[in-house]
């Protein structure tokens, strides 16, 4: 819904809020194209018709773009994957990327690590301040989750010691059979499913503490990222 970006999202979806002079959806599509991606799926909900119009006006930016329509029911980060299960069919892993994230991340490198490790899911993580952290062992295998504000912990198996706390970066890679292993339907968040799946599958983290990363989820954070980019260009 982009509520943190109000009033900018009072008449448009978050994906079409401008960042660095163009809609953040366009910014992401251009970065993905530069790294060799030529087939995308975009899920739509809030003002979804405006996303469809935007894509049509730009001829899908010259690549194959499909749409997962959630205008009747917003499915959250887990339900969205189940609805888009058909997009995962094939032999290649799929990159999942929040539209309100901007970084210089090497997506092809993340996919390479994912393939080599034979993980079900490979999560981009960063050592930064946030109220919720994913917990990993010394080999960066997912072992739990922590809510720092409430003190709540959730574990893959049993409580462990010596874990690393890392913040999820809104970017991950998943293998083609990933949606089939999610045993829920409707609208639900994905983190609890990662913890369940990690009991029998490898779900690992990949750190990217070098380079830049920005959450574009608020007006203030967009301004911060734009100041950073202006400094680079200056």
């Amino acid at each position: 819904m982009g509520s943190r970006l109000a009033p900018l999202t009072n008449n448009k979806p978050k994906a079409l809020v401008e960042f660095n002079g163009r809609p953040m959806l366009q910014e992401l599509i251009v970065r993905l194209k530069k790294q060799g991606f030529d087939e995308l799926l975009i899920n739509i909900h809030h003002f979804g018709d405006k996303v469809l119009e935007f894509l049509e006006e730009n001829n899908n930016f010259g690549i194959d773009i499909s749409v997962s329509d959630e205008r009747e029911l917003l499915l959250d980060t887990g339900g969205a994957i189940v609805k888009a299960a058909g997009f995962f069919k094939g032999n290649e892993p799929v990159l999942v990327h929040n539209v309100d994230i901007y970084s210089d991340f090497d997506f092809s490198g993340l996919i390479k690590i994912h393939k080599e490790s034979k993980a079900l899911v490979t999560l981009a993580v960063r050592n930064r301040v946030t109220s919720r952290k994913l917990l990993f062992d010394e080999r960066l295998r997912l072992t739990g989750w922590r809510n720092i504000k409430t003190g709540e912990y959730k574990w893959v198996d049993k409580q462990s010691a010596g874990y690393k706390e890392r913040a999820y970066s809104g970017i991950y890679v998943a293998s083609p059979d990933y949606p089939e292993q999610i045993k829920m339907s409707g609208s639900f968040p994905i983190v609890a499913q990662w913890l369940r799946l990690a009991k029998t599958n490898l779900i690992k983290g990949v750190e990217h503490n070098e380079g830049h990363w920005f959450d574009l989820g608020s007006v203030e954070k967009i301004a911060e990222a734009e100041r950073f980019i202006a400094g680079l260009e200056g």
Side-chain angles (χ1 to χ4, degrees):
M1 298 294 292
S3 55
R4 290 188 300 152
L5 277 166
L8 299 180
T9 48
N10 289 350
N11 60 2
K12 69 175 68 172
K14 175 168 60 175
L16 297 186
V17 170
E18 287 209 354
F19 162 66
N20 201 29
R22 56 188 178 185
M24 61 175 73
L25 177 60
Q26 181 177 351
E27 183 77 26
L28 178 55
I29 291 173
V30 169
R31 280 191 288 132
L32 290 168
K33 280 187 67 175
K34 285 181 178 178
Q35 294 202 33
F37 290 83
D38 57 10
E39 186 178 0
L40 307 181
L41 180 141
I42 299 169
N43 62 322
I44 60 172
H45 174 68
H46 183 60
F47 289 111
D49 55 322
K50 295 197 174 185
V51 176
L52 297 177
E53 291 169 5
F54 176 73
L55 293 172
E56 184 177 358
E57 289 168 1
N58 289 278
N59 298 309
N60 285 354
F61 295 91
I63 57 176
D64 182 0
I65 295 182
S66 304
V67 170
S68 182
D69 194 338
E70 297 182 19
R71 280 178 289 183
E72 291 189 6
L73 176 64
L74 184 60
L75 295 173
D76 210 326
T77 51
I81 298 298
V82 173
K83 182 175 176 63
F87 187 76
F88 283 76
K89 298 292 185 184
N91 299 315
E92 291 299 313
V94 173
L95 176 76
V96 182
H97 197 300
N98 293 356
V99 74
D100 58 351
I101 296 298
Y102 175 78
S103 74
D104 60 356
F105 203 93
D106 175 14
F107 303 132
S108 58
L110 182 64
I111 290 173
K112 183 174 183 290
I113 291 170
H114 175 82
K115 287 181 174 180
E116 289 175 350
S117 70
K118 296 181 169 53
L120 178 67
V121 176
T122 303
L123 306 164
V125 297
R126 196 169 176 89
N127 193 7
R128 61 180 176 86
V129 176
T130 183
S131 62
R132 293 183 292 269
K133 293 285 185 77
L134 295 173
L135 312 179
F136 298 90
D137 67 12
E138 69 281 355
R139 295 167 62 186
L140 279 181
R141 295 175 301 190
L142 183 66
T143 60
W145 171 90
R146 179 189 179 198
N147 186 319
I148 293 173
K149 287 184 177 179
T150 66
E152 180 186 9
Y153 284 83
K154 294 180 181 179
W155 300 98
V156 169
D157 249 329
K158 57 185 177 180
Q159 183 172 344
S160 60
Y163 54 79
K164 297 180 179 180
E165 293 186 344
R166 295 293 182 267
Y168 170 54
S169 296
I171 305 166
Y172 69 93
V173 174
S175 295
D177 60 335
Y178 168 57
E180 300 168 10
Q181 298 200 42
I182 299 173
K183 305 302 182 184
M184 289 189 71
S185 60
S187 177
F188 60 94
I190 196 61
V191 173
Q193 291 301 299
W194 289 343
L195 297 174
R196 182 185 66 81
L197 290 169
K199 294 178 185 293
T200 53
N201 298 271
L202 176 58
I203 296 186
K204 66 179 275 95
V206 171
E207 292 194 77
H208 64 111
N209 294 314
E210 304 299 323
H212 58 263
W213 178 95
F214 291 95
D215 169 10
L216 306 177
S218 70
V219 174
E220 295 76 18
K221 289 181 177 179
I222 288 176
E224 178 187 351
E226 288 178 334
R227 286 193 296 270
F228 174 82
I229 291 171
L232 290 178
E233 293 173 347

